[in-house]
């Protein structure tokens, strides 16, 4: 059963883009569109969008890079450990909770480290893996998406992202404990 | 709000690195790192410049992929596929994005972005998402200020609903896991809860006075113009 699921999952991922491209091309031909010309016309915007998001991305990545290099996450972990124990949140996963919305590669590095230290099939390893899987690099997404249309007044977007992040993490910790422990 | 987070990240980084260099805080984990770079402050400096360079490298990599998807999206749009997708999912979309008119291309682009994210196609998701933002901004009466639809869209996007967390599975397998696929179900549950929470939070917070956008024709609020409380500053 698991192998079947795995096979289906791999096939869907591999076929999704080609099927999408094929469908778009066939539909465009049926509509008698000048396919090549229209594609090139649309593709022209790629460069502009890239240029627009550069300053936003530089700002975000510089702040995140400095934060990661400063060891601030370890300082926060040491400071918050007793508090986290009280709500049943493993202190070893706090760095992951802080890193996840900031940096995708940072969170993946932490996951690899946790899997090596505690074992990839340990409860802690699976909790960390679920945390990475159930969320996004929120700040990166907000910076790039809003940056692409030059929006600086982001209203409630950041709060909503963080609330969802916390809800996902707490669920990840609890569900893994219920299923695997 | 992004403003305060940005300032906070940098100030916390400077204070944390400074305290470690001055010997006010000792972290056992940090010993190797500091010895290698000489000091935490040096590491922070290096990270700042490296990250600035990385940002541009990411964009350069993105431009080609972006151009390809924007080309395909234009074809899909002209062929009526994007509108078709929006029509099929109309009942759901009307509730999520009541401000976006039926059949608007923004709806189709958002659906395609969310679908790409769910399938774990990161390369396709970003260009489709940026296309959706461009379309949503066409409906935006106040350029520079996020609309409700944009915030709801990004709420769903950042909640990370994924059917197959391929990267995570890869990391677990590389670490020697005997059953990496065990986490697929827990990830689905956690990201499902996160997504529902995100939608509810977006719908509630968009009504709060500090986040509200004044409607057209409404006079500026008495406390200093339409931008009072911008970015939801605390």
């Amino acid at each position: 059963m698991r192998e079947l699921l795995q096979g289906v999952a791999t096939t869907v991922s591999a076929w999704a883009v080609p099927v999408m491209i094929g469908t778009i091309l066939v539909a465009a031909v049926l509509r008698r569109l000048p396919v090549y010309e229209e594609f090139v016309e649309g593709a022209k915007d790629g460069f502009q969008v890239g240029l627009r998001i550069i300053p936003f991305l530089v700002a975000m990545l510089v702040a995140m890079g400095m934060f990661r290099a400063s060891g601030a996450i370890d300082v926060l972990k040491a400071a918050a450990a007793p508090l986290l124990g009280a709500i049943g949140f493993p202190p070893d996963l706090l760095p992951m909770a802080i890193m996840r919305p900031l940096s995708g590669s940072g969170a993946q590095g932490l996951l690899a480290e946790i899997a090596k230290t505690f074992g990839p099939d340990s409860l802690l390893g699976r909790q960390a893996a679920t945390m990475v899987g159930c969320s996004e690099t929120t700040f990166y997404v907000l910076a790039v998406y809003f940056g692409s249309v030059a929006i600086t007044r982001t209203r409630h977007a950041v709060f909503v992202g963080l609330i969802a992040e916390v809800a996902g993490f707490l669920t990840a910790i609890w569900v893994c404990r219920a299923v695997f422990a | 709000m992004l403003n305060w987070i940005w300032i906070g990240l940098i100030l916390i980084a400077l204070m944390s690195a400074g305290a470690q260099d001055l010997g006010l805080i000792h972290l056992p984990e940090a010993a190797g790192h500091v010895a290698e770079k000489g000091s935490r402050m040096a590491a922070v400096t290096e990270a700042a410049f490296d990250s600035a360079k990385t940002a541009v490298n990411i964009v350069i990599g993105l431009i080609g992929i972006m151009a390809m998807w924007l080309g395909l999206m234009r074809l899909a749009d002209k062929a009526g596929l994007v509108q078709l997708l929006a029509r099929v999912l109309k009942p759901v979309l009307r509730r999520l994005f009541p401000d976006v008119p039926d059949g608007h291309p923004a709806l189709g682009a958002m659906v395609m972005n969310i679908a790409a994210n769910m399938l774990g196609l990161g390369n396709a998701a970003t260009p489709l998402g940026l296309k959706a933002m461009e379309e949503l901004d066409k409906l935006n009466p106040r350029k520079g200020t996020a609309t409700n639809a944009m915030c709801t869209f990004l709420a769903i996007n950042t909640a990370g609903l994924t059917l197959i967390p391929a990267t995570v599975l890869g990391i677990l397998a590389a670490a020697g896991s005997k059953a990496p696929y065990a986490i697929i179900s827990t990830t689905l549950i956690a990201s499902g809860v996160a997504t529902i929470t995100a939608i509810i939070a977006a719908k509630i917070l968009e009504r709060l006075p500090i986040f509200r956008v004044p409607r057209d024709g409404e006079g500026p609020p008495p406390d200093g113009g339409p931008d009072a409380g911008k970015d939801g500053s605390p």
Side-chain angles (χ1 to χ4, degrees):
Chain A
M1 183 60 200
R2 187 155 280 169
E3 251 124 67
L4 179 74
L5 204 76
Q6 184 177 342
V8 170
T10 320
T11 313
V12 168
S13 285
W15 279 62
V17 171
V19 167
M20 208 150 111
I21 294 177
T23 314
I24 292 172
L25 284 190
V26 171
V29 170
L30 290 179
R31 285 285 176 109
R32 299 183 193 285
L33 291 174
V35 176
Y36 179 73
E37 284 86 343
E38 289 290 350
F39 176 88
V40 173
E41 197 51 42
K44 273 182 190 163
D45 293 337
F47 196 71
Q48 299 306 323
V49 176
L51 281 187
R52 272 205 304 268
I53 61 178
I54 284 180
F56 295 89
L57 206 53
V58 168
M60 266 301 158
L61 290 194
V62 166
M64 287 164 202
M66 291 173 75
F67 184 79
R68 279 175 63 182
S70 72
I73 287 182
D74 296 322
V75 176
L76 291 176
K77 178 183 163 186
L83 209 98
L84 293 169
I87 59 162
F89 192 100
D92 284 312
L93 294 179
L94 180 70
M96 180 63 93
I98 300 173
M99 183 70 85
R100 186 67 186 99
L102 296 175
S103 157
S105 57
Q108 286 162 20
L110 275 180
L111 174 59
E113 213 177 286
I114 290 172
K116 207 174 84 185
T117 317
F118 299 96
D121 297 326
S122 65
L123 177 60
L124 218 55
R126 284 177 167 167
Q127 285 172 326
T130 306
M131 283 169 72
V132 177
C134 81
S135 54
E136 256 287 349
T137 42
T138 303
F139 292 119
Y140 171 86
V141 169
L142 291 180
V144 169
Y145 281 42
F146 279 135
S148 74
V149 285
I151 278 174
T152 48
R153 290 178 292 276
T154 55
R155 295 177 60 216
H156 51 296
V158 178
F159 276 114
V160 172
L162 291 180
I163 291 170
E165 205 94 39
V166 170
F169 288 164
L170 292 180
T171 312
I173 304 285
W174 288 330
V175 168
C176 283
R177 197 177 289 149
V179 175
F180 301 126
Chain B
M1 182 70 188
L2 273 180
N3 186 32
W4 291 111
I5 286 176
W6 197 73
I7 296 168
L9 282 174
I10 294 180
L11 288 185
I12 290 173
L14 295 180
M15 286 191 293
S16 149
Q20 288 171 68
D21 273 8
L22 296 174
L24 303 176
I25 308 175
H26 286 285
L27 292 172
E29 300 101 299
H33 195 81
V34 173
E36 179 187 307
K37 293 273 200 285
S39 90
R40 272 286 179 186
M41 277 299 191
V44 169
T45 311
E46 202 183 308
F49 288 111
D50 279 351
S51 307
K53 231 188 288 177
T54 307
V56 177
N57 285 339
I58 290 177
V59 170
I60 287 180
L62 191 63
I63 286 175
I65 302 166
M66 197 68 218
M68 180 184 109
W69 280 106
L70 287 178
L72 286 170
M73 275 299 283
R74 187 179 168 98
L75 281 175
D77 188 25
K78 292 238 161 169
L81 285 177
V82 181
Q83 295 80 344
L84 184 74
L85 202 57
R87 256 205 311 279
V88 171
L89 290 165
K90 199 168 111 183
V92 186
L93 292 171
R94 208 166 35 190
R95 275 158 204 274
L96 285 175
F97 309 105
D99 307 331
V100 182
D102 280 356
H104 194 276
L107 295 174
M110 285 192 285
V111 170
M112 288 172 77
N113 165 268
I114 293 165
N117 268 330
M118 286 176 73
L119 295 173
L121 308 169
N123 277 344
T126 308
L128 293 169
L130 295 183
K131 178 78 186 164
M133 289 300 280
E134 189 193 322
E135 293 293 341
L136 285 175
D137 203 44
K138 287 181 188 163
L139 298 168
N140 187 0
R142 285 168 191 272
K143 304 293 177 213
T145 301
T147 62
N148 287 343
M150 288 176 180
C151 291
T152 306
F153 170 52
L154 288 182
I156 298 170
N157 190 304
T158 57
L161 195 56
T162 313
L163 298 178
I164 312 121
T167 318
V168 173
L169 296 178
I171 294 171
L172 289 182
S177 168
K178 288 188 184 67
Y181 286 83
I183 60 113
I184 288 185
S185 56
T186 54
T187 301
L188 262 180
I189 295 171
S191 62
V193 169
T195 307
I196 294 166
T197 310
I199 294 170
I200 295 171
K203 291 288 167 195
I204 293 174
L205 290 184
E206 71 184 26
R207 286 156 211 251
L208 293 188
I210 50 163
F211 296 129
R212 211 168 58 104
V213 179
R215 290 184 189 286
D216 283 341
E218 212 174 271
D223 54 334
D227 289 344
K230 62 183 169 182
D231 298 349
S233 31

